[in-house]
């Protein structure tokens, strides 16, 4: 790793924000939780697992004998859907609202109680069984944020079938790759989706994606927008035909704790996305535990809102499994934050009385740019806790978030985790931690993380003055919601996460970090070829492969450059083939559109530069670090290993 050094900035001496005495007094988690976990880690996780309802109790906590393939609570059995739905009804809370659903069109709303959710999930489970689904089968879910998407996920979980949710903003090509890799038998989708007031087709992309599929038997379609869809008789089925007439009686079967629960594809350093595998007991244990303690939820009174999409892991863990396992009431919003106006989120907070709001730094910065007068027009006094996830939150945005959303009072939990970790790993506990704006602070009770140098030596806490070295963020002990592998590729799993510190047996997260003066963790971002665009993970290789897929492109190199709004933005450098038509300018627009079509609009490069050559080392590796210098307008770093340092004059000239 190139050792970065950081000058002590104001942030290292900035004041910290302790919780108010009133918040601490009522908080679910006190400092004792750290002591309890410290005293006996596995006993601590036993206690957390016992918050769930086990059909067959476990006697063993962790089997790490085949590391890095963990088994948590291996001899226990449980049903995830039962834990997220049925048991709340059985406890007498069937009338509690599970989901306040807010559609993108104004006044298009639905309220679903836990009893109603149980009926819907049972019906869907019966319908899926009728379609031949059995435990272990894979189901692709490609849907906007409609209640049926959550019902579909829970129905899969109830049957022990694995869902693979694919973000509805992804292209047909991306969907196809994911369906094929998982060999999905069923795809669940909608006719279309609303985006900024317009209905756009979704089913069309599914038709395209399954054209050559050997595995897909049916496409189950929820009618959402009413737009016309093409129909293949026998293969395509309407949700309202198949699910609505199914019985509400369904007995959940208990599955082994290590039974697979879902796959979620995420970008790695190559062009091929990885199917991250999560399993049952450990995942639900940590999802539920972190949701309860980090968000301090009071199921009887809180109205919780996580603004993520179910297409990402945040939606899996903090919309579906965490909140529902804890029996809370939550808001689920279908649309974009600024539709029909930039008041939308504030209106929802006000109208639903949202008490806990969990969002991404990029959205906070968007609101910041729009100005505080928008928030000022709304009563946000119901909010008592704020959360952040997806990328480091810059201290300025943190303070603005607390001032404008939190009346200068609410705690903010900056939660560090990954698709692979399954749930939150590093975060303040809101009633305990003196939070520092911009730092995710310390590992949660039961979790162990360290920042180490190239040789695996733990770094020293920083100081208030002088330079602080950064290092690798590693997880040195297994945790319950850890990924259990990459679908179909155990070697890639070991190579990607466990090879950097193989000797020590540590998981390397791909992030660089440094310690602050009190030993708190400051995550600096990815140090591999993975970019973070508005909290979305996109690999440079994926975008490069979409670019060279265009007939006019000879070579492409992609880097993530710092962007005020989105954290990072995609900058591409391409060499055109002599045969490329239409000149550089038309090509640039065509290529930007091509990437959006091949991957997703979120992967559309901010800028594409047509260059005569790319900077390469003697071994032929593209020097991305130098391209990043160019993209960010910096002086060039060390160019001594380049074959031809003069290429930069040409690259600069093209900017
Ligand atoms: C990467 C994981 C976690 C769910 C959403 C993203 C970055 C995430 C933080 C944070 C600093 C963060 C890391 C991580 N990241 N949260 N609070 N502070 N960085 O999940 O797509 O798997 O991405 O997001 O770089 O490795 P993901």
């Amino acid at each position: 790793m190139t050792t970065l050094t950081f000058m002590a900035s104001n942030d290292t001496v900035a004041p910290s924000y302790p919780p108010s005495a009133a918040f601490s007094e009522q908080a679910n988690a006190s400092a004792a939780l750290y002591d309890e976990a410290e005293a006996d880690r596995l006993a601590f996780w036993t206690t957390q697992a016992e918050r769930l309802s086990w059909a067959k109790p476990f006697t063993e906590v962790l089997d790490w004998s085949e590391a890095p393939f963990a088994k948590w609570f291996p001899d226990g059995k449980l049903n995830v859907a039962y834990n997220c739905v049925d048991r709340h009804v059985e406890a007498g809370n069937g009338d509690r609202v599970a989901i306040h659903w807010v559609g993108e069109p104004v006044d298009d709303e639905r309220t679903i109680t836990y009893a109603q959710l149980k009926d819907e999930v049972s019906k869907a489970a019966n319908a899926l069984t009728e379609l031949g689904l059995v435990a272990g089968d894979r189901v692709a879910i490609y849907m906007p944020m409609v209640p049926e998407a959550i019902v579909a996920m829970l129905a899969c979980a109830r049957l022990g079938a694995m869902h693979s949710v694919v973000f509805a903003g992804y292209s047909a090509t991306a969907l196809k790759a994911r369906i094929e890799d998982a060999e999905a038998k069923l795809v669940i989708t909608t006719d279309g989706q609303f985006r900024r007031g317009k209905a756009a087709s979704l089913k069309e992309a599914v038709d395209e994606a399954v054209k050559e599929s050997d595995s897909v038997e049916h496409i189950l379609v929820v009618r959402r927008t009413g737009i016309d869809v093409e129909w293949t008789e026998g293969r395509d089925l309407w949700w309202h035909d198949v699910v609505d007439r199914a019985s509400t009686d369904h007995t959940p079967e208990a599955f082994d704790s290590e039974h697979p629960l879902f796959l979620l594809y995420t970008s790695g350093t190559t062009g091929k996305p990885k199917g991250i595998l999560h399993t049952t007991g450990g995942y639900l244990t940590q999802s539920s535990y972190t949701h309860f303690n980090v968000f301090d939820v009071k199921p009887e009174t809180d109205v919780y809102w996580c603004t993520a999409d179910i297409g990402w892991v945040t939606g899996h863990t903090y919309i579906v499994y965490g909140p529902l396992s804890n029996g809370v009431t939550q808001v689920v919003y279908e649309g974009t934050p600024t539709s029909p106006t930039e008041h939308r989120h504030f209106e929802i907070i006000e109208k639903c009385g949202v008490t806990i709001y969990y969002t991404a730094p990029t959205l906070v910065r968007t609101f910041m740019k729009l100005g505080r007068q928008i928030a000022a027009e709304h009563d946000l006094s119901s909010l008592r806790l704020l959360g952040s996830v997806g990328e480091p939150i810059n201290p300025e945005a943190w303070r603005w978030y607390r001032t404008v959303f939190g009346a200068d009072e609410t705690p903010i939990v900056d939660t560090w985790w990954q698709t692979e970790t399954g749930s939150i790993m590093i975060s303040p506990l809101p009633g305990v931690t003196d939070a520092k704006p911009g730092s995710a602070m310390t590992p949660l009770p039961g979790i162990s993380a360290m920042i180490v140098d190239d040789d695996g030596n733990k770094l020293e806490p920083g100081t208030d003055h002088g330079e602080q070295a950064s290092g690798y963020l590693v997880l040195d002990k297994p945790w319950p919601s850890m990924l259990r592998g990459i679908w179909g590729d155990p070697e890639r799993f070991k190579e990607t996460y466990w090879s950097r510190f193989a000797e020590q047996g540590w998981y390397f997260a791909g992030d660089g970090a440094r310690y602050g003066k009190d030993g708190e963790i400051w995550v600096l971002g990815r140090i591999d070829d993975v970019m973070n665009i508005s909290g979305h993970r996109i690999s440079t290789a994926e975008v490069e492969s979409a670019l060279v897929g265009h007939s006019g492109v000879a070579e492409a190199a992609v880097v993530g450059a710092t962007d005020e709004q989105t954290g990072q933005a995609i900058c591409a450098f391409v060499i055109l083939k002599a045969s490329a038509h239409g000149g550089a300018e038309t090509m640039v627009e065509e290529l930007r559109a091509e990437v959006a079509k091949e991957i997703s609009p979120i992967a559309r490069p901010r800028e594409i530069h047509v260059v005569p050559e790319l900077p390469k080392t003697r071994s032929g590796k593209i020097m991305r670090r130098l391209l990043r210098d160019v993209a960010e307008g910096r002086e060039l770093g060390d160019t001594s290993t380049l074959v031809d340092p003069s290429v930069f004059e040409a690259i600069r000239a093209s900017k």
Side-chain angles (χ1 to χ4, degrees):
M1 132 180 217
T2 41
T3 307
L4 306 162
T5 48
F6 285 79
M7 296 300 290
S9 64
N10 286 338
D11 303 330
T12 50
V13 289
S16 56
Y17 292 72
S20 69
F23 191 100
S24 296
E25 251 161 57
Q26 59 83 58
N28 290 347
S30 72
L33 212 58
Y34 292 105
D35 303 335
E36 205 189 308
E38 193 60 40
D40 187 340
R41 214 170 70 90
L42 295 186
F44 173 82
W45 283 118
T46 302
T47 308
Q48 299 314 323
E50 285 168 350
R51 296 180 63 247
L52 303 176
S53 173
W54 294 77
K56 175 173 178 270
F58 57 89
T59 60
E60 186 183 2
V61 183
L62 169 67
D63 176 356
W64 191 228
S65 61
E66 287 165 52
F69 297 92
K71 295 193 185 94
W72 281 88
F73 319 113
D75 59 344
K77 280 176 185 272
L78 73 168
N79 185 288
V80 168
Y82 174 83
N83 272 280
C84 290
V85 186
D86 305 41
R87 68 170 172 149
H88 307 311
V89 180
E90 287 171 15
N93 296 318
D95 291 338
R96 183 182 298 159
V97 173
I99 298 170
H100 280 302
W101 180 77
V102 181
E104 189 180 276
V106 176
D107 292 332
D108 187 2
E109 298 185 3
R110 278 166 70 185
T111 296
I112 301 165
T113 65
Y114 274 95
Q116 289 166 335
L117 187 61
K118 174 170 179 280
D119 286 351
E120 291 307 312
V121 173
S122 299
K123 285 199 285 189
N126 281 320
L128 296 194
T129 303
E130 221 177 283
L131 293 178
L133 259 283
V134 295
D137 284 345
R138 273 82 57 203
V139 177
I141 297 180
Y142 183 63
M143 299 171 87
M145 294 287 289
V146 290
E148 288 84 356
I150 296 170
V151 170
M153 290 167 76
L154 290 168
C156 289
R158 196 172 183 95
L159 297 174
M162 300 160 74
H163 52 71
S164 161
V165 181
V166 180
F167 175 55
Y170 271 131
S171 66
T173 317
L175 175 63
K176 180 173 190 263
R178 287 157 177 77
I179 289 174
E180 280 175 5
D181 188 72
E183 296 173 281
K185 230 165 129 176
L186 176 70
V187 183
I188 309 182
T189 189
T190 60
D191 54 354
Q193 60 178 333
F194 290 111
R195 275 291 170 260
R196 300 189 183 281
K198 284 204 206 76
S201 175
L202 203 56
K203 166 78 164 43
E204 222 171 77
V206 180
D207 290 340
E208 164 99 29
V210 304
K211 241 189 240 156
E212 293 151 23
S213 166
D214 299 324
S215 64
V216 173
E217 294 171 3
H218 290 291
I219 302 176
L220 187 54
V221 189
V222 172
R223 183 135 67 202
R224 169 65 189 123
T225 59
I227 57 173
D228 285 340
V229 289
E230 294 216 5
W231 208 251
T232 302
E233 284 306 328
R235 185 197 66 183
D236 301 352
L237 302 160
W238 284 113
W239 177 281
H240 56 256
D241 285 339
V242 179
V243 177
D244 286 2
R245 67 170 150 72
S247 160
T248 55
D249 279 335
H250 185 272
T251 309
E253 183 186 337
F255 295 100
D256 287 344
S257 179
E258 282 301 332
H259 186 80
L261 180 62
F262 66 83
L263 290 179
L264 183 58
Y265 285 83
T266 188
S267 297
T269 52
T270 71
K272 189 179 186 300
K274 304 175 279 195
I276 302 300
L277 170 67
H278 283 288
T279 61
T280 299
Y283 172 79
L284 196 63
T285 295
Q286 195 177 329
S287 300
S288 198
Y289 151 74
T290 51
H291 184 257
F292 185 74
N293 291 293
V294 173
F295 296 108
D296 190 50
V297 291
K298 310 285 188 275
E300 300 79 20
T301 48
D302 273 318
V303 179
Y304 164 88
W305 183 14
C306 165
T307 69
D309 189 283
I310 48 148
W312 315 117
V313 74
T314 310
H316 284 60
T317 307
Y318 296 106
I319 293 178
V320 183
Y321 296 111
L324 296 177
S325 68
N326 286 322
V328 309
T329 295
Q330 70 176 319
V331 170
V332 173
Y333 173 51
E334 181 188 36
T336 37
T338 49
S339 181
T341 74
E342 51 276 2
H343 288 267
R344 196 68 197 272
H345 270 214
F346 303 102
E347 284 163 359
I348 295 172
I349 292 170
E350 195 170 10
K351 182 169 178 190
C352 299
V354 172
T355 57
I356 301 163
Y357 180 77
Y358 187 30
T359 197
T362 184
L363 192 62
V364 175
R365 289 193 296 265
T366 301
F367 289 137
M368 225 170 127
K369 214 161 126 193
L370 292 169
R372 63 174 72 198
Q373 73 283 356
I374 293 175
E377 286 178 36
H378 302 275
D379 178 6
L380 305 179
S381 61
S382 56
L383 290 170
R384 65 179 195 89
L385 177 62
L386 303 170
S388 172
V389 64
E391 57 172 311
I393 180 165
N394 47 311
E396 194 194 353
W398 194 103
R399 290 188 202 100
W400 190 92
Y401 192 25
R402 183 170 141 120
T403 309
V404 175
F405 277 70
D408 249 332
E409 235 170 54
T410 63
I412 295 179
V413 287
D414 175 359
T415 62
W416 179 90
W417 58 296
Q418 309 177 296
T419 305
E420 291 87 343
T421 68
S423 45
I424 299 170
M425 303 293 284
I426 304 175
S427 165
L429 282 177
V432 181
T433 311
D434 292 3
K436 298 189 190 183
S439 167
M441 302 306 293
T442 54
L444 288 177
I447 299 299
S448 191
M450 276 198 295
I451 307 170
V452 300
D453 66 14
D454 278 300
D455 304 320
N457 304 308
K458 190 175 173 185
L459 297 187
E460 294 295 324
T463 55
D464 263 3
H465 306 286
E467 292 188 336
Q468 285 161 33
S470 68
Y472 303 89
L473 181 59
V474 298
L475 303 169
D476 57 308
K477 293 199 175 85
W479 62 101
S481 65
M482 66 198 293
L483 76 167
R484 299 302 197 264
I486 294 175
W487 183 248
D489 205 344
E491 279 315 307
R492 190 176 178 197
F493 170 60
K494 287 192 222 163
E495 174 59 33
T496 308
Y497 305 105
W498 303 92
S499 65
R500 182 62 188 80
F501 296 100
E503 226 170 275
Q504 297 89 339
W506 296 338
Y507 170 95
F508 170 48
D511 281 337
R514 65 181 170 89
Y515 283 118
K517 119 174 135 49
D518 300 311
E520 80 280 8
I521 293 171
W522 294 75
V523 177
L524 302 167
R526 309 286 309 192
I527 58 169
D528 50 17
D529 292 331
V530 174
M531 300 174 289
N532 189 329
I533 317 297
S534 296
H536 301 312
R537 212 162 127 172
I538 298 166
S539 78
T540 52
E542 252 176 308
V543 179
E544 285 165 4
S545 116
L547 287 167
V548 296
H550 187 285
S551 61
V553 175
E555 267 193 88
V558 166
V559 297
T562 305
D563 183 279
E564 213 178 279
Q565 192 63 36
T566 56
Q568 280 191 316
I570 301 177
C571 285
F573 297 85
V574 296
I575 304 175
L576 297 181
K577 286 185 188 160
S579 59
H581 302 295
E585 231 163 82
T586 31
M587 271 301 280
V588 163
E589 274 324 298
E590 198 173 315
L591 288 174
R592 292 181 70 229
E594 174 84 2
V595 176
K597 183 175 151 282
E598 277 299 304
I599 305 172
S600 162
I602 54 180
R604 189 195 308 270
R606 182 183 71 185
E607 45 193 88
I608 297 182
H609 303 287
V610 176
V611 294
E613 254 178 290
L614 291 171
K616 287 193 185 149
T617 62
R618 284 173 182 82
S619 59
K621 204 169 152 24
I622 292 172
M623 296 283 279
R624 285 210 179 70
R625 177 172 55 80
L626 294 177
L627 286 174
R628 223 172 287 133
D629 288 343
V630 175
E632 295 176 349
R634 265 193 307 274
E635 283 298 305
L636 287 190
D638 181 11
T639 56
S640 60
T641 53
L642 281 177
V643 181
D644 176 11
S646 70
V647 301
F648 277 100
E649 279 150 44
I651 292 177
R652 280 249 164 87
S654 72
K655 272 203 68 165

